[in-house]
Amino acid sequence: MSSLLVDNIGELVTNGAGEGPLGIRRDAAVLVEEGRVVWVGPSAYAPAADRHVDAGGAAVLPGFVDSHAHLVFAGDRAAEFAARMAGQPYTGGGIRTTVGATRAATDEELRVTVRRLRAEALRQGTTTMEIKSGYGLTVADEARSLRIAAETSTETTFLGAHVVPAEYADRPDDYVGLVCGPMLAAAAPHAKWIDVFCERGAFDVDHARAILACGQAAGLGVRLHANQLGPGPGVRLGVELDAASVDHCTHLSDADVAALAGTANSDGSGTRTVATLLPGAEFSTRSPYPDARRLLDAGVTVALATDCNPGSSYTSSMPFCVALAVREMRMTPAEAVWAATAGGARALRRDDIGVLTPGARADLVVLDAPSHLHLAYRPGVPLIRQVIRNGVPQ
Ligand code: NIG
Ligand code: FE
């Protein structure tokens, strides 16, 4: 059994026992065996190990957990981005452009893109990444999107209800029937979650409820794109269905915030339904950011994710999202780092990641900086010195 010791850690973010909300420990070390953390303590008392990484006094944190990404697609929409920066609004209509390109792509082309983006994210410290389908929108194209996603992640999400594809434009009920029937049957063996884009212009609340209920009956967990482009019933539907996460949450009423806060566990230890905020989308669509402060002050559990996709947020960078959350959404650096690690883990209902405590998966990021504060303080700077995933230095 081979062991790995990471020592000489100036600031260790554990998200467990320790100082402040991040459970910080100073002058610390982490011992890893068989891909798991087995010991955390003072560097001076660290046990011997077969291999050794000297953090050189730098900060170490849990690998980022990116709980929302759309990586299975072909083509890009750079021209749509340029048009937006010249004043065009974002409506989600460009999704159909990517659907056309994705259907025309070979399996190998899709696979290369997924791997490229996954590798790009890993270099930026993302050790867990959820991957959605949603640009195929036929039975065969959704099934292959998920098959390819599952080669790279266990956190795969069936998003057949992304938009109604053009060929069903005048019969959306039929498309919902397809999604709940043959498409779900073909997708479910490769998916852990089901998601719906519940928004004006995509799926209304009745369609979303029907699709999510079918997914639940097929054994998939529920997550939801909700309240991104305008107010609506999506967030409350997510709470009603015990969704692991409602994502975007840009346009929320007091009732939405209360519904999310009302899912808090009785011991006050957080919420069941997480609000996942995706500031890369507001950045890239030049839209107002979600009000993270309002959610946090109400006691809602908040996660941060990239929403990496070719339309509304073509970034794979969790450090960028942390910086945006601090600068634009009034999260403290500690809240943002927690949301990008432990928060993402909660949004995926995982307790083995997002923390560095004995028993957790050994997913660690060594920063080129003395403190987690630098992730927001030094935006755009490549601060990820080393990534250790499942106990293996990358
Ligand atoms: O999360 N909102 C729906 N889906 C994606 C956008 C997809 C696209 O524009 O291609 C999102 O922002
Ligand atoms: Fe999305």
Side-chain angles (χ1 to χ4, degrees):
M1 183 172 59
S2 123
S3 55
L4 170 73
L5 181 71
V6 184
D7 68 356
N8 204 7
I9 301 170
E11 177 191 277
L12 176 67
V13 172
T14 68
N15 288 334
E19 194 186 297
L22 294 179
I24 285 174
R25 303 181 67 144
R26 315 247 169 225
D27 303 316
V30 176
L31 181 66
V32 174
E33 281 173 10
E34 305 275 292
R36 296 271 162 180
V37 173
V38 293
W39 179 89
V40 176
S43 203
Y45 299 108
D50 304 325
R51 287 176 304 155
H52 174 228
V53 170
D54 182 349
V60 169
L61 43 143
F64 295 117
V65 179
D66 186 353
S67 61
H68 185 137
H70 309 245
L71 303 190
V72 194
F73 64 84
D76 73 30
R77 296 188 354 235
E80 181 190 311
F81 174 77
R84 269 203 308 277
M85 294 307 105
Q88 293 291 312
Y90 175 78
T91 60
I95 293 172
R96 289 204 179 113
T97 308
T98 302
V99 169
T102 304
R103 288 176 177 176
T106 64
D107 289 8
E108 196 49 28
E109 284 165 341
L110 297 177
R111 184 172 287 121
V112 164
T113 296
V114 170
R115 288 191 181 156
R116 173 177 63 79
L117 293 170
R118 183 64 193 91
E120 188 181 280
L122 185 65
R123 289 196 296 276
Q124 296 168 93
T126 298
T127 48
T128 301
M129 197 168 193
E130 183 257 18
I131 304 178
K132 300 176 196 298
S133 68
Y135 291 114
L137 311 188
T138 65
V139 173
D141 286 307
E142 285 297 299
R144 76 167 175 150
S145 295
L146 286 161
R147 222 176 36 241
I148 290 167
E151 294 169 1
T152 295
S153 179
T154 56
E155 301 293 345
T156 53
T157 301
F158 170 44
L159 180 58
H162 198 181
V163 287
V164 176
E167 64 275 18
Y168 281 89
D170 51 1
R171 44 192 184 110
D173 290 345
D174 290 354
Y175 185 66
V176 173
L178 180 75
V179 171
C180 289
M183 199 183 277
L184 174 62
H190 314 290
K192 180 167 174 185
W193 303 97
I194 186 162
D195 192 344
V196 173
F197 186 18
C198 183
E199 196 80 37
R200 192 187 298 271
F203 293 86
D204 68 21
V205 69
D206 295 329
H207 281 155
R209 185 185 278 108
I211 293 163
L212 295 171
C214 293
Q216 268 177 325
L220 304 184
V222 169
R223 39 204 328 106
L224 196 56
H225 282 71
N227 303 57
Q228 175 186 7
L229 304 177
V235 163
R236 273 163 288 152
L237 174 66
V239 171
E240 174 194 320
L241 296 178
D242 188 32
S245 177
V246 286
D247 296 32
H248 284 288
C249 295
T250 309
H251 297 269
L252 298 185
S253 67
D254 289 345
D256 297 327
V257 176
L260 284 165
T263 65
N265 296 331
S266 51
D267 64 356
S269 63
T271 65
R272 289 282 293 172
T273 299
V274 173
T276 298
L277 309 182
L278 309 165
E282 279 73 36
F283 178 88
S284 299
T285 60
R286 193 173 276 145
S287 304
Y289 289 90
D291 190 345
R293 202 59 276 138
R294 181 182 178 209
L295 288 164
L296 289 163
D297 290 348
V300 175
T301 302
V302 170
L304 286 170
T306 62
D307 198 13
C308 183
N309 75 78
S312 64
S313 181
Y314 201 5
T315 181
S316 57
S317 173
M318 290 293 281
F320 175 61
C321 295
V322 166
L324 284 181
V326 171
R327 172 61 182 82
E328 303 292 339
M329 287 153 53
R330 294 188 298 139
M331 291 175 80
T332 65
E335 286 167 339
V337 166
W338 191 93
T341 52
R346 296 244 184 128
L348 294 171
R349 298 229 161 132
R350 297 270 301 265
D351 55 17
D352 59 328
I353 54 175
V355 293
L356 290 175
T357 50
R361 264 180 61 142
D363 292 344
L364 289 76
V365 165
V366 183
L367 296 187
D368 230 333
S371 153
H372 69 281
L373 295 173
H374 286 234
L375 287 167
Y377 173 47
R378 307 202 62 219
V381 177
L383 290 182
I384 308 302
R385 182 192 299 168
Q386 175 150 32
V387 180
I388 296 167
R389 185 162 181 255
N390 220 2
V392 181
Q394 303 293 301

